[in-house]
Amino acid sequence: MTKVAIVTGAASGIGRATALKLASQGLKVVVVDYNEKDGQETLDLVTAQGGEGIFVKADVSLSEDVQNYVNQAKETYGRIDVFVNNAGILPNFTLLSEYEDSMFDRVIAVNLRGAFLGMKYVLKVMMEQKSGSIINTSSAAGIHSQPYLSIYAASKHGLVGLTKTAAVEYGPMGIRINAICPGGVKTGMTADLGEATSPSLGPSGRMAMPEEMAEVIAFLASDAASYVNGAIMPVDGGMTV
Ligand code: NAI
């Protein structure tokens, strides 16, 4: 049986690297993003390396868009084995008291509500199958403080709470739910950060490549991680130790 994976935020960065990695392992990949052009390009890269998939345009903060990508995956491939809940945005860096109210609402809507909605609708399918693996992309900001990124830290700490609780609720149904907490990764999200706002790199002394996240996500997605559930896994070169 060929496994089926949904990857959100797969138009670039960690999501694209993950879609390519899972496709290289033979999974069918549902590429989800609100960036149609780059999402389609990810799908082209998947097929160019001999993989199979579809692209579904979605804003993950909208319930109807989430239900649509879950339905498209189910209708096209009949099942969902792996769900990589990865779409996210980074707000501007500033003190908590300086943030616009609307920025709080948007970051929570994408990073937390989007992840909640994805889990909600994917879990309904995985419950029927009595199997599945969900990987949520949290952040080092989900496990320690992140000065000048309070809203982002709140969204990523929230995702850790969703992950742990859902792992306990759905573990007995054969579904594993884990989170990775990347440190600094070279993607579009971090491309414009100046020295003053660069996260402290920790003992690795460097940022990661997106492929280094994809490796860990692919492990958690696989049966090799069959006894890993509810793990909040730093993938940060030791930044948060
Ligand atoms: P990225 O900016 O390259 O990729 C994020 C993707 O999410 C983009 O393709 C974007 O179009 C998509 N996206 C954003 N909002 C969306 C929405 N509402 N609906 C659908 N798609 C949406 O950034 P990167 O670094 O690959 O980020 C992936 C995840 O990793 C994010 O959740 C981010 O918070 C997390 N992360 C990234 C770190 C880094 O240093 N790059 C560190 C820790 C966590």
Side-chain angles (χ1 to χ4, degrees), residues 8-16 32-35 38-39 57-62 65 85-90 106 109-111 137-141 152 155-156 159 180-190 193 199 207-208 210 213:
T8 71
S12 71
I14 296 168
R16 173 178 281 183
V32 174
D33 209 288
Y34 65 6
N35 182 333
D38 293 349
K57 184 180 181 183
D59 179 337
V60 298
S61 68
L62 302 177
D65 281 20
N85 214 354
N86 169 79
I89 55 172
L90 190 71
R106 187 61 190 155
V110 177
N111 293 4
T137 308
S138 179
S139 170
Y152 183 76
S155 72
K156 294 301 188 179
L159 189 48
I180 68 157
C181 297
V185 186
K186 281 189 185 172
T187 66
M189 183 174 279
T190 51
L193 301 185
M207 290 178 78
M213 303 300 127

Side-chain angles (χ1 to χ4, degrees), residues 19 22 28 58 64 67 72 80 100 111 119 122 124 126 194:
L22 294 175
K28 291 172 180 154
E64 59 271 28
Q67 290 176 63
Q72 295 261 346
I80 302 167
E100 297 288 343
N111 293 4
M119 291 172 77
V122 166
K124 291 177 194 288
M126 290 183 170

Side-chain angles (χ1 to χ4, degrees), residues 60-106:
V60 298
S61 68
L62 302 177
S63 186
E64 59 271 28
D65 281 20
V66 173
Q67 290 176 63
N68 182 51
Y69 76 65
V70 173
N71 288 339
Q72 295 261 346
K74 186 85 198 299
E75 280 165 22
T76 308
Y77 295 123
R79 54 186 299 114
I80 302 167
D81 300 286
V82 173
F83 177 48
V84 185
N85 214 354
N86 169 79
I89 55 172
L90 190 71
N92 58 308
F93 285 64
T94 193
L95 287 169
L96 186 153
S97 52
E98 300 303 314
Y99 270 120
E100 297 288 343
D101 300 357
S102 58
M103 182 61 85
F104 179 87
D105 292 343
R106 187 61 190 155

Side-chain angles (χ1 to χ4, degrees), residues 145-166:
S145 68
Q146 194 78 63
Y148 313 112
L149 275 179
S150 53
I151 293 173
Y152 183 76
S155 72
K156 294 301 188 179
H157 273 74
L159 189 48
V160 166
L162 277 184
T163 304
K164 287 182 179 176
T165 306

